[in-house]
Amino acid sequence: MSILVIAEHDNASLNPNTLNTLSAASKIDDDLHLLIAGNNANSVVQEAQSIAGVSKVLSANHESLADGLAENIAWLVKGLASNYSHILAPASNYGKNFMPRVAAMLDVMQVSDIIEVVSDDTFVRPIYAGNALITVQSSDTIKLITVRSTAFDALAAEGGSASVEEVEFDQAFDRVEFVSRDVTVSERADLSTARIVVSGGRGVGSQEDFSLIESLAEKLGAAVGASRAAVDSGYAPNDFQVGQTGKVVAPDIYIAVGISGAIQHQAGMRESKVIVAINKDAEAPIFQIADYGIVDDLFDVVPQLIEVL
Amino acid sequence: MKVLVAVKRVVDFNVRIRVKLDGSGVDTDNVVMSMNPFDENALEEALRMKQAGIASEIIAVSVGGDESQDTLRKALAMGADRAVLIKSDELPEPLGIAKLLTKIVEQESPEVVILGKQTIDDDSNQTGQMLAALLNWPQGTFASKAVFAGNSEGDKLNLTRETDAGLETLQITLPAVITTDLRLNEPRLPKLPDIMKAKKKPIDVIEADSLGVDLANRLKVLKVSSPPEREPGVIVANAAELIDKLKNEAGVL
């Protein structure tokens, strides 16, 4: 049987995490179908057709699918499920929102946030903020899985020529309506995919001084992240949060500035290739996982870094 | 309206957990346990609804062994009116918990069920969405703001939720399931007199087996292991040395 992957997109372009999710799926089976659930998302369908390894693109086009409402996507996916052995989606906020809804409707116990495919029914996922890894074997007939995108290399975006099949869908759950979206506009690289991430924590001290983190990121062409403490204090918007309950990142370089390194923060960045910590507290737990540390005042070190770079 | 809040007893977020040597699980003997942090946000939101005259009664519910009564006592001390323990010595998977909660919703008929978006032990982030699906209710997940307003069509909820790109707002018609993100509110600490009063508030105990729900696990745990350790790093003197190391030693810059 084939595998269905649900693409994440904004009706204009595909989110790169879709390529990582497909990559995880390809370790289970090589007949991959990709569902684009959206509204006038023709450019996304075209993009999907070119992905190497996708044999068929399913296109469901309806205004009820325009804004990613979980209730509607769940109905759509449930209707398609009987054709598939596995259904996968990225473990992003998008996938986390609708996939458990599909799972319950199908009476399936979802496997969340997998980091390894052991076999077609056995998967590894982190628990306790990544402080333990659990290997589970699913006995459900259809397996529903969300994928941690940083744990799988992306499939190639080019080289494929998948066919397209239109899927009829016109349902709309009448007790939920999309009202508005407030997207953080940043000139910086995307946090989830950037090669370098500079993150600020409580030590930065204020929203004004957070511009120092921005300046260093600009100099490095890096994305900007933040610890939960910095977000809770209003120094940075919520979508900057890296950690157990925020984004999980694994860049080549992660620079933690004024971040103590609580367990829940480490959960979001400990797979980074090289970790740099700048903190005036030599006892901060972040130094236990950092490859390079500077024990000094960030307000001295960061301007020096900007100057030397 | 009645509000049902689900709470779970978990290993405290400050505890550095240890994986058992035989790979069968995580050692939870003699470690500090507390209410799942997101569930504190869930309860706090219900308490604020009551203060604002929106909620009439708050019922805290937990699934677990007798020791979960501690967590329910904390919920009562924070201000829940009463509590229900669905007693199950083996903790069911999120699907099973969602099914058990469905039964309590049928008994209690709340208009809103609030849960934490995930528990910090299993990190599955599923129960609220599954409950909403089983009830065929709308869901407002990862909520950072909830504004209730009645109108002629019934009670409405304007719910702002955290997404990977920022925020989005939904208008939801009740009844509904809400799952909470950390920014929704700042949970209160129970005061001593309230802790004393909570001892007199009722906790109903219902055996999970009596609810007619199939709780057989679908996922077999083959192994629990520790993640690979990171090699210890080095402390460098200044910015120039750091850049040099990143370029010439690590080769990443």
Side-chain angles (χ1 to χ4, degrees):
Chain A
M1 291 242 279
S2 313
I3 297 182
L4 181 66
V5 172
I6 321 287
E8 179 168 354
H9 64 89
D10 60 1
N11 295 307
S13 58
L14 207 57
N15 188 310
N17 63 19
T18 305
L19 299 173
N20 306 90
T21 307
L22 282 162
S23 168
S26 73
K27 296 184 190 310
I28 303 169
D29 194 285
D30 54 12
D31 190 19
L32 306 181
H33 295 183
L34 184 61
L35 172 66
I36 313 293
N39 190 32
N40 297 324
N42 297 334
S43 57
V44 184
V45 172
Q46 282 173 15
E47 218 182 317
Q49 279 183 273
S50 343
I51 300 169
V54 174
S55 64
K56 192 196 280 183
V57 175
L58 303 180
S59 168
N61 183 39
H62 194 269
E63 57 187 23
S64 73
L65 300 171
D67 298 300
L69 291 179
E71 292 81 354
N72 298 335
I73 298 173
W75 269 337
L76 170 66
V77 176
K78 186 197 172 220
L80 297 167
S82 62
N83 301 324
Y84 296 97
S85 61
H86 298 72
I87 302 176
L88 282 75
S92 58
N93 263 353
Y94 172 76
K96 286 173 180 170
N97 189 29
F98 75 85
M99 280 290 272
R101 198 168 172 105
V102 182
M105 283 164 33
L106 294 170
D107 195 30
V108 167
M109 177 55 210
Q110 173 183 310
V111 186
S112 289
D113 206 19
I114 65 161
I115 58 168
E116 188 187 333
V117 174
V118 178
S119 72
D120 65 357
D121 65 1
T122 303
F123 311 93
V124 182
R125 55 179 300 264
I127 54 173
Y128 288 91
N131 289 301
L133 305 177
I134 188 166
T135 305
V136 292
Q137 183 176 32
S138 165
S139 60
D140 283 311
T141 318
I142 303 175
K143 291 164 182 64
L144 265 78
I145 296 161
T146 62
V147 175
R148 177 172 290 199
S149 53
T150 54
F152 297 90
D153 292 332
L155 283 196
E158 302 291 335
S161 56
S163 60
V164 177
E165 183 180 308
E166 301 288 337
V167 177
E168 290 297 322
F169 182 79
D170 60 2
Q171 285 173 279
F173 195 88
D174 61 2
R175 287 189 283 143
V176 61
E177 247 175 87
F178 178 81
V179 178
S180 63
R181 183 171 288 125
D182 181 7
V183 174
T184 304
V185 180
S186 170
E187 295 157 21
R188 302 280 151 320
D190 177 56
L191 179 56
S192 298
T193 53
R195 204 181 72 78
I196 306 176
V197 172
V198 183
S199 281
R202 194 196 301 275
V204 177
S206 69
Q207 192 181 2
E208 293 70 45
D209 285 333
F210 208 82
S211 62
L212 196 59
I213 305 297
E214 296 270 357
S215 303
L216 178 57
E218 183 176 9
K219 196 85 187 198
L220 286 161
V224 178
S227 70
R228 180 192 156 191
V231 175
D232 284 356
S233 306
Y235 306 167
N238 65 276
D239 48 296
F240 281 26
Q241 186 182 326
V242 171
Q244 181 182 15
T245 70
K247 290 197 172 105
V248 177
V249 301
D252 286 352
I253 310 176
Y254 186 90
I255 305 180
V257 183
I259 291 178
S260 65
I263 294 168
Q264 68 85 18
H265 183 74
Q266 292 188 15
M269 44 67 78
R270 60 179 294 148
E271 299 305 317
S272 303
K273 196 166 164 194
V274 173
I275 296 172
V276 175
I278 300 166
N279 201 306
K280 63 183 173 190
D281 175 11
E283 303 300 316
I286 191 77
F287 288 115
Q288 290 162 18
I289 61 161
D291 300 281
Y292 301 107
I294 298 182
V295 182
D296 205 346
D297 189 340
L298 70 94
F299 294 102
D300 294 330
V301 178
V302 175
Q304 284 165 18
L305 273 171
I306 294 170
E307 200 180 307
V308 178
L309 280 162
Chain B
M1 69 174 80
K2 266 194 204 179
V3 178
L4 187 72
V5 179
V7 296
K8 185 181 179 189
R9 180 175 184 266
V10 297
V11 173
D12 187 85
F13 73 99
N14 278 314
V15 171
R16 184 120 220 155
I17 60 104
R18 281 186 315 274
V19 172
K20 288 183 189 166
L21 290 174
D22 64 0
S24 64
V26 166
D27 194 351
T28 53
D29 292 343
N30 303 315
V31 299
V32 179
M33 305 294 285
S34 53
M35 187 188 291
N36 181 47
F38 292 93
D39 304 348
E40 295 185 345
N41 294 101
L43 185 58
E44 178 64 34
E45 197 61 20
L47 297 172
R48 290 180 191 202
M49 287 170 67
K50 195 171 176 193
Q51 282 168 343
I54 300 163
S56 54
E57 186 182 28
I58 299 167
I59 306 150
V61 57
S62 191
V63 181
D66 279 326
E67 61 283 0
S68 289
Q69 296 214 16
D70 298 348
T71 310
L72 289 171
R73 285 282 166 219
K74 176 166 182 198
L76 294 169
M78 283 175 75
D81 295 297
R82 59 192 173 89
V84 178
L85 173 65
I86 306 174
K87 202 175 159 223
S88 173
D89 291 330
E90 291 288 314
L91 196 64
E93 293 169 340
L95 181 64
I97 291 181
K99 288 177 180 177
L100 291 170
L101 293 177
T102 307
K103 297 292 179 188
I104 303 302
V105 170
E106 285 167 6
Q107 288 177 12
E108 299 284 354
S109 306
E111 279 189 80
V112 174
V113 183
I114 315 180
L115 309 87
K117 74 168 182 178
Q118 71 192 69
T119 56
I120 60 167
D121 48 5
D122 183 59
D123 281 336
S124 274
N125 194 330
Q126 297 179 358
T127 306
Q129 297 90 314
M130 287 180 157
L131 176 64
L134 297 172
L135 295 167
N136 196 31
W137 286 9
Q139 64 184 52
T141 57
F142 324 148
S144 64
K145 193 175 170 194
V147 180
F148 289 85
N151 72 3
S152 56
E153 296 162 53
D155 284 324
K156 301 273 187 193
L157 160 65
N158 266 339
L159 183 124
T160 302
R161 51 191 302 273
E162 298 196 354
T163 71
D164 286 337
L167 299 169
E168 68 180 32
T169 302
L170 308 176
Q171 189 177 69
I172 291 172
T173 305
L174 303 183
V177 171
I178 299 173
T179 78
T180 59
D181 221 312
L182 297 164
R183 256 73 64 179
L184 184 60
N185 53 48
E186 198 160 317
R188 68 196 64 191
L189 292 169
K191 297 190 184 73
L192 188 60
D194 296 329
I195 295 170
M196 301 311 288
K197 255 190 273 175
K199 291 182 178 165
K200 296 198 184 102
K201 290 184 183 175
I203 298 181
D204 288 340
V205 179
I206 302 174
E207 294 290 332
D209 294 342
S210 72
L211 290 171
V213 170
D214 173 16
L215 295 173
N217 282 350
R218 312 294 182 81
L219 303 180
K220 184 177 171 191
V221 177
L222 301 184
K223 184 175 69 174
V224 176
S225 59
S226 294
E229 293 280 328
R230 288 189 78 99
E231 296 288 316
V234 294
I235 298 295
V236 298
N238 53 41
E241 192 186 342
L242 174 63
I243 303 290
D244 176 65
K245 294 270 191 195
L246 288 175
K247 279 184 177 159
N248 301 316
E249 191 176 272
V252 286
L253 197 64

